[in-house]
Amino acid sequence: MKELSKLMDFRPSIKVVDATLRDGGLVNDFYFPEGFAKSLYEANVKAGVDYMEFGYRADKEMFETSKFGPCKFSEDDYIRSIVDDNNTDLKIAIMADVGRCNYKQDIQEKANSPVDLIRVATYLHQMPGAIDMIEDAKNKGYEVSCNIMAISNSQESDLKVALDLIGRSPADVIYIVDSYGALYPEQIARIADLYGEFATKYGKKLGIHAHDNQRLAFANTIEAVGDGVDYLDATYASMGRGAGNCAMELLLGFLKNPKYKLFPVIKFVEEQMNPLKESGVAWGYDLQYLMTGVLNQHPRTAIQFTKEKRKDYSEFYKEITSQE
């Protein structure tokens, strides 16, 4: 059981990261309503959120710009159009996927960019590419995190090798990522302990990015808080790929640091997130996401089930269990 003081007090090292534009953008091809990003930025500033992730820095040779909204590419000029000089305490982040970002060309020196944090996302088999991206971003002057995806399907021995590689790199933060929404709090505690060994050895911070397939994104995130994880990802109204993420309104309601304000979050959900969902943009917990989470599968089949507006849940269950 966690010490009571860990739930009643606050840890100044905690950092809240808003991933609404990036993870949320996956459900609407990054086409947000006019003024949405600016309103989100202002809500984050008022709420005391520490980082706002603007989206991916995707390679335009791989992805057609006409098929996506601006947060798929989150160019520096676009970010400036929202934040101007960003004379606030809120820091700006973007995500760079290994193999999907022309980082040497498209990520400029920090001195010429409004971005503060580069979040490198990688699978275990891509670690050499991830290390090169981490080193490139650090050399350009950025804070850098590394998100190892799909760890619920990984061998612990492979994970240890990857953690040692990231530990020896100049990355600042190592992220626990429950890509499939398959993990439970007890597992998060064990994983945080494993990651913590390398974080302590190499002087790194830890982060968590949770998915809500089993309605455990918030539970797993606050479990991680008690296990020494400092960087906490959340999205407004849980908006994110498939079942979505840890809800910002739940997380800020839990954290006891008086610098975080819940009211701006509630107001943004009312004024922006609820109308977005009512307009037909689909995300959030449903049976199809529960099934892929329980089975520790990528949610792509559940996402397709949702797009096709299917309701034959039992048939879907038979389909995905036959793939096991």
Side-chain angles (χ1 to χ4, degrees), residues 98 121-130 147-163 165-166 195:
V98 175
T122 183
Y123 291 102
L124 282 175
H125 69 276
Q126 299 172 312
M127 284 310 303
N147 295 28
I148 310 174
M149 298 182 287
I151 60 169
S152 58
N153 271 348
S154 303
Q155 297 290 329
E156 185 174 312
S157 56
D158 294 336
L159 198 52
K160 285 181 175 179
V161 172
L163 289 169
L165 286 169
I166 300 168
Y195 276 53

Side-chain angles (χ1 to χ4, degrees), residues 25-306:
L26 292 169
V27 307
N28 63 355
D29 292 329
F30 305 91
Y31 287 113
F32 291 96
E34 184 71 27
F36 182 95
K38 181 70 171 178
S39 295
L40 178 59
Y41 169 71
E42 292 171 349
N44 279 324
V45 170
K46 292 175 183 175
V49 170
D50 299 283
Y51 290 83
M52 176 175 174
E53 187 179 43
F54 262 78
Y56 290 96
R57 183 63 57 87
D59 186 350
K60 292 182 179 178
E61 293 293 316
M62 295 182 68
F63 301 94
E64 293 183 39
T65 56
S66 62
K67 293 184 177 180
F68 300 96
C71 292
K72 176 73 171 179
F73 309 97
S74 54
E75 295 176 301
D76 286 345
D77 287 345
Y78 170 71
I79 295 172
R80 282 196 192 92
S81 75
I82 305 299
V83 309
D84 198 15
D85 293 329
N86 188 31
N87 294 317
T88 74
D89 292 332
L90 177 68
K91 292 186 176 183
I92 305 303
I94 59 170
M95 181 164 280
D97 273 349
V98 175
R100 296 182 175 185
C101 175
N102 187 356
Y103 57 99
K104 292 188 184 296
Q105 174 182 306
D106 292 340
I107 297 178
Q108 306 302 312
E109 296 286 332
K110 166 67 188 90
N112 303 321
S113 172
V115 175
D116 301 287
L117 168 67
I118 305 292
R119 285 155 54 95
V120 175
T122 183
Y123 291 102
L124 282 175
H125 69 276
Q126 299 172 312
M127 284 310 303
I131 299 302
D132 193 61
M133 290 178 72
I134 290 166
E135 291 174 347
D136 180 79
K138 200 65 180 176
N139 289 337
K140 289 172 177 173
Y142 294 95
E143 299 172 36
V144 187
S145 71
C146 186
N147 295 28
I148 310 174
M149 298 182 287
I151 60 169
S152 58
N153 271 348
S154 303
Q155 297 290 329
E156 185 174 312
S157 56
D158 294 336
L159 198 52
K160 285 181 175 179
V161 172
L163 289 169
D164 194 66
L165 286 169
I166 300 168
R168 289 189 279 113
S169 83
D172 302 290
V173 187
I174 308 172
Y175 258 85
I176 298 165
V177 184
D178 184 12
S179 300
Y180 301 165
L183 298 173
Y184 298 95
E186 183 181 330
Q187 293 171 293
I188 293 292
R190 293 201 300 270
I191 292 166
D193 188 56
L194 172 64
Y195 276 53
E197 291 176 23
F198 291 88
T200 299
K201 179 179 179 180
Y202 292 107
K204 309 299 185 185
K205 294 287 191 179
L206 295 180
I208 183 166
H209 180 85
H211 277 265
D212 211 25
N213 298 61
Q214 300 185 81
R215 287 185 167 171
L216 288 171
F218 175 57
N220 285 338
T221 300
I222 64 174
E223 168 64 41
V225 172
D227 297 323
V229 174
D230 283 331
Y231 282 67
L232 313 175
D233 282 17
T235 62
Y236 285 69
S238 297
M239 186 183 188
R241 185 201 65 192
N245 306 101
C246 174
M248 182 68 75
E249 55 273 24
L250 284 171
L251 182 60
L252 293 196
F254 166 78
L255 295 174
K256 301 300 184 274
N257 190 333
K259 83 169 189 172
Y260 296 124
K261 310 296 183 189
L262 185 58
F263 180 74
V265 178
I266 299 294
K267 197 166 189 291
F268 185 82
V269 171
E270 175 191 344
E271 295 178 351
Q272 297 284 351
M273 303 307 298
N274 289 349
L276 192 64
K277 199 152 200 177
E278 288 163 6
S279 74
V281 180
W283 76 86
Y285 170 84
D286 207 338
L287 278 175
Q288 64 270 31
Y289 297 118
L290 164 69
M291 293 179 224
T292 58
V294 167
L295 294 170
N296 194 16
Q297 293 182 2
H298 192 289
R300 62 176 63 91
T301 53
I303 291 169
Q304 187 60 35
F305 179 95
T306 306

